[in-house]
Amino acid sequence: GAVVSQHPSRVICKSGTSVKIECRSLDFQATTMFWYRQFPKKSLMLMATSNEGSKATYEQGVEKDKFLINHASLTLSTLTVTSAHPEDSSFYICSASPGLAAYEQYFGPGTRLTVT
Amino acid sequence: SQKIEQNSEALNIQEGKTATLTCNYTNYSPAYLQWYRQDPGRGPVFLLLIRENEKEKRKERLKVTFDTTLKQSLFHITASQPADSATYLCALLRGRRALTFGSGTRLQVQP
C-alpha cells in the first residue's frame, strides 16, 4: 500500500516552454502533497505544500508564478514549470500524506527535468 | 539558523560489518526524526521514525538512536549487505507540516 506515482519519469524541454509533472497517490487519499527538488548529490529541498482544494504554500525563495501547483483532487497534484530555463533542470520529487501531519509522507519516484 | 548535518558524504564498509551513520542538528527541537533510503534516480523510501521521547528504535537489521541532548541520531545497519548500498537521508519534522532533509550519506558495502 501507500504508492505514489509520478509522470513523466523523464522530460526534456526547450527553454521558454512549460512542463507539467503529475503526482498521484494510487491507493490512498492524499490530504496533503509536497513538492521537492533535488540537485545532484544534494538534499531534497521543499518547494511547496499543497492541500486539496486550496492554494499551495510556497517555501521562501520559490517563485509561485514559475512553479504552479494544483491539487485538484485527493489523489492528484500537478507541478507546472512555466517558461523553463536551463537552471530549472533538476530532479523533482513529490510526496503525499494521508493526513495533515508531515511525518507520514510517501514519496514518488521522481521526475528528471532537463531544459535545453 | 537551523542546520542538519550527516557525517560524511560517503562511507565504505565490508559486507557483514555494521554501518553507522550520523545525523546532527542544530537550532531544532524536533518531535520526530526519520531515516530514509534513496537509490540513484529514485525517490526516498521511508525506513524508520523515532520520536523525541524514544531513545532507540529497531526494525530487522536497522537500529536508530535519538539523543535530544546531543542533538544527534545514529543509524545502524548490522550484518550489512551489498544490497544495502544506497544514500541514507535523515529528516526532521519542522513544525507539523514540513520535513527538512540532511544532505545524505552514501553507503557502499563491499562484497
Side-chain angles (χ1 to χ4, degrees), chain A residues 41-53:
Chain A
K41 296 189 178 180
K42 297 293 183 185
S43 190
L44 283 76
M45 299 299 294
L46 181 65
M47 299 174 67
T49 303
S50 73
N51 292 306
E52 183 263 339

Side-chain angles (χ1 to χ4, degrees), chain B residues 31-81:
Chain B
Y32 305 92
L33 186 145
Q34 302 180 29
W35 284 88
Y36 289 81
R37 168 183 174 140
Q38 187 176 25
D39 290 285
R42 307 292 296 172
V45 174
F46 171 77
L47 296 175
L48 279 167
L49 176 152
I50 187 165
R51 294 176 170 78
E52 61 179 341
N53 60 351
E54 297 175 316
K55 296 291 184 192
E56 184 179 295
K57 200 86 169 271
R58 289 176 187 260
K59 180 182 173 184
E60 297 171 355
R61 294 184 295 111
L62 309 180
K63 184 178 88 171
V64 172
T65 62
F66 192 12
D67 188 326
T68 55
T69 302
L70 289 178
K71 294 187 182 294
Q72 180 182 79
S73 175
L74 298 179
F75 177 78
H76 306 272
I77 305 175
T78 58
S80 59
Q81 304 165 0

Side-chain angles (χ1 to χ4, degrees), chain A residues 27-97:
Chain A
D27 51 4
F28 67 99
Q29 293 189 324
T31 304
T32 310
M33 284 186 165
F34 304 85
W35 286 95
Y36 297 82
R37 68 186 296 183
Q38 186 177 33
F39 291 105
K41 296 189 178 180
K42 297 293 183 185
S43 190
L44 283 76
M45 299 299 294
L46 181 65
M47 299 174 67
T49 303
S50 73
N51 292 306
E52 183 263 339
S54 58
K55 286 185 180 179
T57 301
Y58 289 81
E59 293 296 298
Q60 195 172 9
V62 178
E63 298 174 61
K64 62 181 180 182
D65 294 330
K66 180 167 185 61
F67 299 100
L68 301 179
I69 290 170
N70 185 285
H71 192 163
S73 76
L74 284 171
T75 58
L76 173 65
S77 175
T78 59
L79 167 68
T80 302
V81 183
T82 63
S83 188
H85 288 127
E87 56 263 33
D88 297 326
S89 299
S90 189
F91 193 50
Y92 291 87
I93 306 173
C94 74
S95 69
S97 174

